[in-house]
CSV table of all heavy atoms in Angstrom, one decimal:
chain,number,residue,atom,x,y,z
A,15,LEU,N,-7.9,109.2,5.9
A,15,LEU,CA,-8.9,108.6,6.8
A,15,LEU,C,-10.4,108.9,6.5
A,15,LEU,O,-10.7,110.0,6.0
A,15,LEU,CB,-8.6,109.2,8.3
A,15,LEU,CG,-7.2,108.7,8.9
A,15,LEU,CD1,-7.1,109.4,10.2
A,15,LEU,CD2,-7.1,107.2,8.9
A,16,ALA,N,-11.2,107.9,6.7
A,16,ALA,CA,-12.6,108.1,6.5
A,16,ALA,C,-13.3,107.4,7.7
A,16,ALA,O,-12.8,106.4,8.3
A,16,ALA,CB,-13.0,107.4,5.2
A,17,SER,N,-14.5,107.9,7.9
A,17,SER,CA,-15.3,107.3,9.0
A,17,SER,C,-16.4,106.5,8.4
A,17,SER,O,-17.0,106.9,7.4
A,17,SER,CB,-15.8,108.5,9.9
A,17,SER,OG,-16.8,108.1,10.7
A,18,ILE,N,-16.7,105.4,9.2
A,18,ILE,CA,-17.9,104.6,8.7
A,18,ILE,C,-19.2,105.2,9.2
A,18,ILE,O,-19.4,105.4,10.4
A,18,ILE,CB,-17.8,103.2,9.2
A,18,ILE,CG1,-16.5,102.5,8.8
A,18,ILE,CG2,-19.0,102.3,8.9
A,18,ILE,CD1,-16.3,101.1,9.3
A,19,GLU,N,-19.9,105.8,8.3
A,19,GLU,CA,-21.1,106.5,8.7
A,19,GLU,C,-22.3,105.7,8.8
A,19,GLU,O,-23.2,105.9,9.7
A,19,GLU,CB,-21.4,107.6,7.6
A,19,GLU,CG,-20.4,108.8,7.6
A,19,GLU,CD,-21.2,110.0,7.1
A,19,GLU,OE1,-21.8,110.0,6.1
A,19,GLU,OE2,-20.9,111.0,7.8
A,20,LYS,N,-22.4,104.7,8.0
A,20,LYS,CA,-23.6,103.8,8.0
A,20,LYS,C,-23.3,102.5,7.5
A,20,LYS,O,-22.5,102.3,6.5
A,20,LYS,CB,-24.7,104.5,7.1
A,20,LYS,CG,-26.0,103.8,7.2
A,20,LYS,CD,-27.0,104.6,6.4
A,20,LYS,CE,-28.3,103.8,6.2
A,20,LYS,NZ,-28.8,103.9,4.9
A,21,ILE,N,-23.8,101.4,8.1
A,21,ILE,CA,-23.6,100.0,7.7
A,21,ILE,C,-24.9,99.5,7.4
A,21,ILE,O,-25.8,99.5,8.2
A,21,ILE,CB,-22.9,99.2,8.7
A,21,ILE,CG1,-21.5,99.8,9.1
A,21,ILE,CG2,-22.7,97.8,8.2
A,21,ILE,CD1,-20.8,99.1,10.2
A,22,THR,N,-25.1,98.9,6.2
A,22,THR,CA,-26.3,98.3,5.8
A,22,THR,C,-26.0,96.8,5.5
A,22,THR,O,-25.2,96.5,4.7
A,22,THR,CB,-26.9,98.9,4.4
A,22,THR,OG1,-27.0,100.3,4.6
A,22,THR,CG2,-28.3,98.4,4.1
A,23,ARG,N,-26.7,95.9,6.2
A,23,ARG,CA,-26.6,94.5,5.9
A,23,ARG,C,-27.3,94.1,4.7
A,23,ARG,O,-28.6,94.3,4.7
A,23,ARG,CB,-27.0,93.7,7.1
A,23,ARG,CG,-26.9,92.2,6.8
A,23,ARG,CD,-27.1,91.3,8.1
A,23,ARG,NE,-26.0,91.3,9.0
A,23,ARG,CZ,-24.9,90.5,8.8
A,23,ARG,NH1,-24.8,89.7,7.8
A,23,ARG,NH2,-23.9,90.4,9.7
A,24,GLU,N,-26.6,93.7,3.7
A,24,GLU,CA,-27.3,93.3,2.4
A,24,GLU,C,-27.7,91.8,2.5
A,24,GLU,O,-28.9,91.5,2.1
A,24,GLU,CB,-26.4,93.6,1.2
A,24,GLU,CG,-25.8,94.9,1.1
A,24,GLU,CD,-26.8,95.9,0.6
A,24,GLU,OE1,-28.0,95.5,0.2
A,24,GLU,OE2,-26.4,97.1,0.6
A,25,THR,N,-26.8,91.0,2.8
A,25,THR,CA,-27.0,89.5,2.8
A,25,THR,C,-26.2,89.0,4.0
A,25,THR,O,-25.6,89.7,4.7
A,25,THR,CB,-26.5,88.8,1.6
A,25,THR,OG1,-25.1,88.8,1.6
A,25,THR,CG2,-27.0,89.5,0.3
A,26,GLY,N,-26.2,87.6,4.1
A,26,GLY,CA,-25.5,87.0,5.2
A,26,GLY,C,-24.0,87.4,5.2
A,26,GLY,O,-23.4,87.5,6.3
Side-chain angles (χ1 to χ4, degrees):
Chain A
L15 293 181
S17 166
I18 301 177
E19 289 211 312
K20 188 173 165 225
I21 301 173
T22 310
R23 176 173 281 282
E24 305 283 356
T25 73

